[in-house]
Amino acid sequence: MDVKDIIKPENKVYGKCPVLTERVLHYCPGCSHGTIHKLLAEVIQEMGIQDKTIAISPVGCAVFAYNYIDIDWQQAPHGRAAALATGAKRICPDKYVFTYQGDGDLSAIGTAETIHACNRGENIVIILVNNAIYGMTGGQMSPLTLEGQVTSTTPYGRDIALNGYPLKITNLIAQLDGTCYVTRQSVQNAAAVRKTKKAIRKAFENSAQKKGTSFIEVVSSCNSGWKLSPVDANKWMEDNMFPFYELGDLKDK
Amino acid sequence: MAMKGAIVVDRERCKGCGVCIVNCPAKVIGLTKEVNSKGYPMSYMANPEECTGCTNCATVCPDSVITVYRVKV
Ligand SMILES: Cc1ncc(C[n+]2csc(CCOP(=O)(O)OP(=O)(O)O)c2C)c(N)n1
Ligand code: SF4
Ligand code: SF4
Ligand code: SF4
Ligand SMILES: [Mg+2]
């Protein structure tokens, strides 16, 4: 069968989600942020909640996320996304509200806001994109950087004696009574992408049911910061991140 | 019943990251030698006859530049 007989509108099975804007993503080639944006857009489209969703973008590479998903947005000062999301959700309780944050944003400067929003059980969704590094500012160590991981501020690898332990913030969040769903996912292959999408959908449904805070960590790659090709970065992530940041649900109530 | 598929790549928006290539179970996709206006090589069907339209490539593409078509044969 000729390719031109296959490429017809009636045979289309997958394409760019209409909730994504036409803007070209500013992210590096192969960056996990783009894949996660797409999944959020697809869930919003499938649930029919495009005009009912408010997102909070972080400081970090995803600071411009509002350019790409065609919903309402606020852009938070560094680490304060959960506080803004709390305000948005309490003023507009019928909206779906989510934050989109990096590991530096959420687990360093934003630790207090994050933990207290989760402990209050705000009916919001928190998306943590854990690439174990400050991507935007040139690849410095974050609290979630692995032991031994080389970054621009740990050129000999993260040294526990000097830099402390990598923080399993998601495991801490799972302890809080305000959270209803806490999971760790990834997006490096098609099966993982589909699982993450299911997790996002479940999290949005939880907030409609007022079950409390849903928290999704997506273990991600930052190929520029890690100084690897996109494909090698995903491999490095599987080999080095997954043994420490184990995938799966930590809590589902 | 067998499936026959094809992909269309938005060449100007492709960043040549190669993530689709390693995720194609049928080894359909290659990267062009020429580059787009941003300087990136672009993914294309190097072995179009092998495509089943499984959508894996488009699912993992961070830039949403792949459209997948599929027919039953
Ligand atoms: C108050 C404040 N402190 C520091 C910074 C500098 N800064 C910008 S982004 C960033 C960290 C980004 O890392 P992460 O949240 O992991 O996001 P990524 O870029 O990796 O997605 C820092 C420290 C800032 N913009 N504002
Ligand atoms: S620096 Fe890292 S996180 Fe930022 S866009 Fe590039 S790959 Fe993505
Ligand atoms: S995954 Fe997308 S952006 Fe990357 S090479 Fe393939 S089509 Fe291009
Ligand atoms: S649709 Fe499936 S078989 Fe076809 S190019 Fe994409 S990944 Fe390969
Ligand atoms: Mg980061």
Side-chain angles (χ1 to χ4, degrees), chain A residues 27 31 33 58-63 77-80 100-109 128-138 140 142 222:
Chain A
Y27 302 113
C31 175
H33 277 303
V59 168
C61 279
V63 63
H78 204 15
R80 313 305 183 221
Y100 185 102
Q101 302 173 258
D103 48 306
D105 186 82
L106 183 143
S107 74
I109 194 169
L128 161 61
V129 180
N130 174 16
N131 55 21
I133 207 162
Y134 290 0
M136 182 196 209
T137 43
Q140 294 84 359
S142 103
C222 169

Side-chain angles (χ1 to χ4, degrees), chain A residues 11 13-14 22 25 27 38, chain B residues 13 15 58-59 61 68 70:
Chain A
N11 299 331
V13 286
Y14 191 93
E22 288 304 313
L25 304 176
Y27 302 113
K38 166 173 70 178
Chain B
R13 300 169 75 102
K15 294 177 181 166
T59 301
C61 174
V68 183
R70 183 168 65 210

Side-chain angles (χ1 to χ4, degrees), chain A residues 34-90:
Chain A
T35 318
I36 302 164
H37 285 19
K38 166 173 70 178
L39 294 183
L40 287 159
E42 287 179 358
V43 169
I44 290 165
Q45 194 216 357
E46 286 166 21
M47 290 179 73
I49 56 171
Q50 185 174 13
D51 55 1
K52 283 201 229 156
T53 306
I54 303 170
I56 317 292
S57 72
V59 168
C61 279
V63 63
F64 298 130
Y66 51 77
N67 282 330
Y68 308 127
I69 307 178
D70 190 9
I71 52 174
D72 288 326
W73 287 88
Q74 282 187 310
Q75 200 282 308
H78 204 15
R80 313 305 183 221
L84 265 69
T86 298
K89 182 68 183 180
R90 287 186 177 210

Side-chain angles (χ1 to χ4, degrees), chain A residues 77-191:
Chain A
H78 204 15
R80 313 305 183 221
L84 265 69
T86 298
K89 182 68 183 180
R90 287 186 177 210
I91 292 165
C92 309
D94 298 333
K95 303 277 187 186
Y96 292 83
V97 179
F98 73 89
T99 75
Y100 185 102
Q101 302 173 258
D103 48 306
D105 186 82
L106 183 143
S107 74
I109 194 169
T111 312
E113 284 77 4
T114 306
I115 286 188
H116 286 293
C118 290
N119 196 47
R120 291 190 304 269
E122 301 293 339
N123 286 304
I124 59 173
V125 177
I126 295 179
I127 309 286
L128 161 61
V129 180
N130 174 16
N131 55 21
I133 207 162
Y134 290 0
M136 182 196 209
T137 43
Q140 294 84 359
M141 185 193 85
S142 103
L144 273 54
T145 295
L146 295 172
E147 180 178 2
Q149 188 180 336
V150 173
T151 70
S152 59
T153 45
T154 55
Y156 308 110
R158 182 177 187 156
D159 172 4
I160 301 298
L162 186 65
N163 310 117
Y165 294 92
L167 178 60
K168 285 186 179 163
I169 185 98
T170 303
N171 298 56
L172 287 180
I173 298 288
Q175 309 293 311
L176 303 174
D177 291 333
T179 53
C180 58
Y181 177 48
V182 180
T183 189
R184 197 181 276 122
Q185 301 291 335
S186 66
V187 291
Q188 82 286 12
N189 60 44

